[in-house]
Amino acid sequence: IRNRSPRYAALTQPQPLKPAQIQQLLDDETCLLQYSIGEERSYLWFVTRNNIRPYTLPGRADIDKTINALLEVIKVHEPPLPSDNIQNRIATMRAAHVTYPKRAFDVSNILLKPVTARMGFKRIVIVADGLLQYLPFGALPVPSQANSKAASSSQPLAPLIANFEAVYEPSASVLALIRRDLRRTARSKP
């Protein structure tokens, strides 16, 4: 496949990049959050054009439990089924409205808090792993000391997307392919 259709092979079987190659993909206004979920511990790599910092996160069970709790709250906004009892649905939606800020903050505390102090960038590229791929990072509040008290109330905090451009990529290798194709397309235009 690589010989007959190198472009297709690059898309379906991207080759891992070296750290320096990933850094070259980023501009001065962009950072990359690369997550890797493991059984006993997970990892977050905070990558900028000039720096790479690793962080250790909890294992899969703890992360999945916290994310599933948030996703259950989010799922109440799916379209109702014809068999749904309207009164029960209203009660469920009200309860979700009350519990969402705390659950979102819990997830954010695990996944974003380690790098919050370093997130002085306009754009955040997120490469998620496992259940994190179903998580709307842009809707998560940005954790800080001031926000910890507010999270215990039912008032939602400002989401990540309010202050940052959140970009989701399946991998840094795919980001490299997209950038390469954009440059190739730009050169071929008259």
Side-chain angles (χ1 to χ4, degrees), residues 8-78:
Y8 176 76
L11 286 172
T12 59
Q13 303 165 356
Q15 296 300 304
L17 299 176
K18 293 182 173 140
Q21 292 172 306
I22 295 171
Q23 288 180 286
Q24 289 174 357
L25 297 172
L26 306 174
D27 58 33
D28 292 332
E29 295 181 342
T30 306
C31 68
L32 181 136
L33 303 180
Q34 169 82 45
Y35 292 92
S36 179
I37 305 301
E39 292 305 318
E40 293 183 26
R41 69 186 64 82
S42 302
Y43 298 95
L44 162 61
W45 287 272
F46 180 79
V47 183
T48 67
R49 189 169 191 79
N50 303 312
N51 201 351
I52 298 176
R53 288 188 177 260
Y55 296 89
T56 303
L57 303 176
R60 180 181 311 278
D62 291 338
I63 289 176
D64 285 358
K65 179 182 174 185
T66 308
I67 290 173
N68 277 323
L70 176 60
L71 292 177
E72 285 301 314
V73 171
I74 293 171
K75 286 179 188 177
V76 303
H77 296 287
E78 291 177 353

Side-chain angles (χ1 to χ4, degrees), residues 4 7 26 47 80 82 87 106 111 122 129-130 133-135 139 143 174 178:
R4 288 190 171 179
R7 188 164 185 246
L26 306 174
V47 183
Q87 297 302 327
D106 290 345
L111 300 178
K122 176 181 174 182
D129 184 30
Q133 295 176 56
Y134 298 98
L135 188 65
V174 170
I178 291 169

Side-chain angles (χ1 to χ4, degrees), residues 8 30 42 59 67 82-83 85-86 94 137 159 169 177 179 189:
Y8 176 76
T30 306
S42 302
I67 290 173
S83 61
N85 177 301
I86 295 298
R94 284 185 179 148
F137 276 85
E169 292 294 341
L177 291 171
R179 293 268 170 97
K189 288 185 177 180

